[in-house]
Amino acid sequence: MRHIGYAQVLWAGRELLAHPGATLLTALSMGLLTTMMATGLLLSQALTATTSRLLDQGPDLVVRRVTPDGGQPISTRAAVAARGIPGITDVRPRIWGTVRTSQATVTVVAADHDAIRRLKGAAVIKAPDVGEAVVGNGVSIPEADANLVLQGARAITVRVAQRFPEKVDLMTHDLVMLHPYDARRLLGLAPDDACDLALAVFHPDEAEALLPELARAFPWPVHIATRQETRKHYATAFGRRSGIALILYMPAVIALTLLVAGVIRQQIGNQARVGLLKALGWTSRDIVALQIMKAAIVGLPAIAGGLMLAYALVYAPSQTWAGTLLLGWQETAPIMHLDAGHAVPVFLEVAGILLIPYLAAVLWSSLVQAASNPQDLLNRGN
Amino acid sequence: MPTGKHSPANNRPGLEPSPDSPHPSEPDRFSPDRLVPAGWLLGIALTVVGLCFLTLTYDTLRGVFPPPAQAAPLLHAIGLNELALVPSGRPERRPALPPSPIDWRYGPDLPRQAPELIPLLKAEQFASPQGAAP
């Protein structure tokens, strides 16, 4: 064929429309297969990236006093010992824990009034006073009077004064921020006690080098968690869940195999038509180009559409299905504003996994046909 | 086998006119047979691919994550190093101190806390955090 370009592409489209049902089904199969494979990979990638980004805002080191029975309260005066170590820039005694409401279990944290006072812009919240609480969007209040009953070492009732912004839902969904006095009463801590110490260091990359000196600074055994360990914890958890999701890929691989087999069978069944085209003067290159064009017209939009659907499922701003289906949330799930910065490698990976076998099947069968004698093709087709 | 008026042989682009052609008066024109729908099919395919490419590129570059200028100070003010990815109270929620697999009791009917160990641990200075871990 002398004219390669629009005419050839148009001709490929025309041939596809000769069997619109088969064309549509192939496209739908490829699209759904793409969505199925890309969603799991994208979600794992997005959660890892977002978690890492969020944890950057947290403390570099967390020091807990430990006994054989677990964690013990730590005196806020112990912060002095940590402050004296070179390289540590900030020490914050934290009061936090897990308590029950009438509906679910929530995480309670005492407000750091100094840190909240420094907030500016859209993220401003008011530090709760005694008897007040700032709660996440997943903390439901059964009564109409906005009072929340918390059951810890003792029961306290607080008034919900404000809710955290939706944009930080991934960190505050079931969080209740209280005044330190209320938090201590609720968790059964003495007035001078805290749960642990959150430390900031001058060089976060060198935080691990401070661990021996930090451990020696306290008169009792401590457990020190670094940010890297926390990251590793989340990455391991996501990796484990992704491993479970890989089971879903087995039917996807079978579907891909069937799809490739279907393509080859379709090509073989098309021998008479190819023989006729060759008899009319089409060259082998024309035949191969036509088949590749047909495959591309079906495959590329299907894979692009499938990737788009997966992208929308994972990164849609109001996405909550992952929390409900995969992370154990029941009535409400956090709204996930996920980091889409690393999606492109996943797209390329999935597109490659699907396109390479598909195009290889088309190319191989086309080459076999193109190399055959037109008479043989016509005879076999008949 | 495609033959007759709608045969691809008759509609083939660039085919030289011949006396046997069914349309000898219009040798260089495509037959409208399915070519207009084919054009639509190509248009739709190109539009889908183009839209997907543009959307993904834009969103990937921009990012869906809320701007750190708003979220970062609030997260810093809260000061926790755990995320609300799983509900509160589950072990996966606590990355800082995973529950110790060691049960220090000599028997299951003893109290959870072994009182004789605490003074011992308090008296000892631990040289490294590994030694201090529960």
Side-chain angles (χ1 to χ4, degrees), chain A residues 365-381:
Chain A
S365 51
S366 306
L367 283 173
V368 169
Q369 286 181 341
S372 302
N373 189 308
Q375 182 67 40
D376 294 342
L377 287 171
L378 285 168
N379 287 340
R380 282 205 294 264

Side-chain angles (χ1 to χ4, degrees), chain A residues 11-21 23, chain B residues 34-41:
Chain A
W11 190 263
R14 182 192 180 280
E15 290 223 333
L16 285 172
L17 284 179
H19 306 282
T23 304
Chain B
R34 283 203 294 258
L35 282 181
V36 173
W40 279 105
L41 178 69

Side-chain angles (χ1 to χ4, degrees), chain A residues 2 11 14 54 64 66 68 92 94 98 107 123 167 170-171 174 222-223 233-234 276 280 282 311 329 337, chain B residues 2 8-9 11-12 14 33 59 65 70 75-77 79 83-85 88 90 92-94 96-97 104 121 132:
Chain A
R2 288 183 296 278
W11 190 263
R14 182 192 180 280
L54 285 172
R64 274 196 104 178
V66 289
R92 186 199 295 190
R94 298 193 308 182
T98 307
T107 297
K167 285 185 174 178
L170 205 51
M171 203 161 206
D174 61 352
V222 291
H223 174 266
H233 166 87
Y234 282 112
L276 182 63
L280 288 169
W282 286 48
Y311 188 85
W329 293 92
H337 293 275
Chain B
N11 300 331
R12 188 178 145 239
D33 168 36
D59 255 14
F65 197 76
Q70 293 176 19
L75 299 180
H76 183 73
L83 306 180
L85 281 171
S88 292
R90 299 200 180 188
E92 300 94 336
R93 179 72 179 254
R94 288 284 182 90
L97 189 63
W104 293 96
L121 289 168

Side-chain angles (χ1 to χ4, degrees), chain A residues 319-359:
Chain A
Q319 189 261 101
T320 57
W321 65 267
T324 310
L325 287 180
L326 303 174
L327 299 171
W329 293 92
Q330 288 176 345
E331 290 179 6
T332 64
I335 295 170
M336 293 191 178
H337 293 275
L338 297 175
D339 190 350
H342 301 85
V344 172
V346 177
F347 292 153
L348 295 177
E349 188 181 337
V350 173
I353 288 172
L354 288 165
L355 264 182
I356 288 170
Y358 178 64
L359 288 179

Side-chain angles (χ1 to χ4, degrees), chain A residues 61-67 70-74 94 96-97 189 194-199 214 218 220-225, chain B residues 81 94-99 132-134:
Chain A
L61 298 169
V62 175
V63 179
R64 274 196 104 178
R65 180 183 175 187
V66 289
T67 65
Q72 285 287 308
I74 195 166
R94 298 193 308 182
W96 68 288
L189 295 173
C195 297
D196 53 29
L197 298 176
L199 275 58
L214 201 54
F218 299 100
W220 8 258
V222 291
H223 174 266
I224 306 170
Chain B
N81 60 331
R94 288 284 182 90
L97 189 63

Side-chain angles (χ1 to χ4, degrees), chain A residues 239-323:
Chain A
R240 203 178 301 129
R241 282 185 165 82
S242 300
I244 295 168
L246 279 177
I247 296 168
L248 288 175
Y249 289 174
M250 294 306 291
V253 170
I254 294 168
L256 181 62
T257 312
L258 289 175
L259 199 67
V260 168
V263 167
I264 294 172
R265 189 182 169 280
Q266 196 180 5
Q267 301 272 19
I268 291 170
N270 222 10
Q271 284 181 343
R273 192 178 185 84
V274 174
L276 182 63
L277 291 176
K278 287 197 79 176
L280 288 169
W282 286 48
T283 64
S284 297
R285 199 186 70 169
D286 295 337
I287 300 290
V288 173
L290 179 74
Q291 303 295 1
I292 294 286
M293 209 65 78
K294 281 167 66 178
I297 291 173
V298 175
L300 288 180
I303 287 176
L307 287 176
M308 192 80 173
L309 184 58
Y311 188 85
L313 281 172
V314 173
Y315 294 113
S318 56
Q319 189 261 101
T320 57
W321 65 267

